[in-house]
Amino acid sequence: MKILVINPGSTSTKMAVFEDETSVLVRNIVHTPEELAPFDDVIEQQDFRRQLVTDEINKAGLTLDFDAVIGRGGLVKPLEGGVYEINDLMVQDTHSGIALHNHACNLGCLIAHEIAQEIPGCRAFIADPGVVDELNDYARISGSPLMNRICIWHALNQRAIARRYASEIGREYEDLRLIICHMGGGISVAAHDHGRAVDANNALDGEGPFSPERAGSLPAADLIRLCFSGKYNEKQLLKRIAGKAGLNAHLGTNDVREVVRRIEDYGDKHAELILNAMIYHVAKHIAAEAAVLCGEVDAILLTGGLARSEYVVSRLRKRISFIAPIRCFPGEDEMEALALNALAVLRGKRQAKVYE
């Protein structure tokens, strides 16, 4: 089976070609600010990014004869985890901005659908998008009936890491209780209870620990006062939630490696305070998910780019090792996870769900 995988991010488009479980082409196409400047909206980048993907395929001497194209899922309606066949309604909802988030992940569905339509017999999928919602009833309730809690999290990578860990210890993911923390530009923490993520934060725009690029939870009254201060417009304030927030707002960089250099090479006490505060809040949120699982936690799994940082991981271990054994899976398994999800459907081992 030949599978094309497309994973768009804010400044790059990752793509890969798999033959069964083996990757035969992997590319990370980086987009400069100058290249993206002409586009007012992320969705407008669809043709531009699609062309770059097909150019890489052609340069590699491969042909557009895939059995499936699978894209990173976008921010559509909340849905259960799994593989979804892309249909007209999903494309329509992605274009309409139903989730009110202008995020590059929305392009995964659109580009996959467009390429698949050009290939006879080719199917188009997404899998475990960031809007996977399996929250328990308690988790949905906030302190105001005007707004329920929602989750936007790294569902695809967290699930892939959970299954990899389960395989390594000879168990099934559906038999385990896990806390998984994905640490990247945003940080998501979820409680996985026998194959369902029953609690997770909105890692995109306003809940949980602050991160390299996200503000996380903020004092609500102060935020309301800021909105009416006249100092910022809506677009500027949203940037202060996601983008120019977290480490980026405090220290002028979202690169934890740079922050660690400032601390270790130059003795930057302010940088040390801010980075240690981020780690403190991540640990606190992980500990909170232990309460969701009533303390019955088989393991804590740390993943994402920041799991490569010994500075971050060592300090997290000090605060949370009393809860459960900790395992690190640095980086992300998203490309392989997408390919394996598509392959499972093509082989009849998993049923593709219908988006409706």
Side-chain angles (χ1 to χ4, degrees), residues 58-271:
N58 293 332
K59 281 191 284 187
L62 301 175
T63 55
L64 287 169
D65 59 350
F66 301 104
D67 296 288
V69 186
I70 185 164
R72 180 183 180 186
L75 302 178
V76 288
K77 291 181 288 194
L79 39 76
E80 285 192 337
V83 183
Y84 287 78
E85 193 128 19
I86 299 172
N87 57 21
D88 290 341
L89 179 60
M90 185 185 296
V91 172
Q92 177 183 316
D93 283 354
T94 302
H95 273 294
S96 69
I98 192 170
L100 302 178
H101 291 290
N102 187 25
H103 195 282
C105 65
N106 291 326
L107 293 169
C109 157
L110 300 179
I111 297 174
H113 180 256
E114 186 178 7
I115 292 176
Q117 282 191 314
E118 299 175 3
I119 304 169
C122 182
R123 300 174 70 182
F125 305 111
I126 64 167
D128 287 329
V131 291
V132 166
D133 182 348
E134 299 167 345
L135 300 184
N136 66 45
D137 291 338
Y138 298 128
R140 299 183 194 281
I141 305 300
S142 79
S144 170
L146 297 176
M147 58 194 91
N148 284 334
R149 286 187 68 240
I150 65 167
C151 56
I152 300 177
W153 57 296
H154 302 89
L156 178 65
N157 188 50
Q158 287 208 22
R159 277 250 160 75
I161 293 302
R163 293 189 187 281
R164 194 212 295 186
Y165 172 73
S167 176
E168 287 182 4
I169 65 171
R171 303 276 299 278
E172 295 293 329
Y173 165 52
E174 290 76 12
D175 296 333
L176 297 173
R177 286 183 156 193
L178 304 168
I179 299 171
I180 307 180
C181 178
H182 178 113
M183 300 180 290
I187 295 176
S188 65
V189 187
H192 296 248
D193 190 357
H194 296 89
R196 293 181 65 85
V198 296
D199 195 288
N201 63 307
N202 179 350
L204 179 62
D205 65 357
E207 190 189 38
F210 73 87
S211 73
E213 297 178 356
R214 311 284 197 269
S217 300
L218 294 171
D222 287 343
L223 182 59
I224 291 170
R225 293 185 189 103
L226 197 61
C227 290
F228 288 90
S229 68
K231 296 179 181 179
Y232 305 96
N233 61 34
E234 181 183 1
K235 187 174 182 180
Q236 290 170 327
L237 281 172
L238 287 173
K239 269 297 199 183
R240 296 280 180 164
I241 298 295
K244 193 174 181 180
L247 295 185
N248 211 8
H250 282 286
L251 301 173
T253 181
N254 62 1
D255 188 341
V256 168
R257 294 167 299 182
E258 167 62 23
V259 178
V260 172
R261 276 195 294 270
R262 293 183 194 179
I263 295 168
E264 296 181 345
D265 295 347
Y266 303 103
D268 189 329
K269 294 298 183 183
H270 181 62

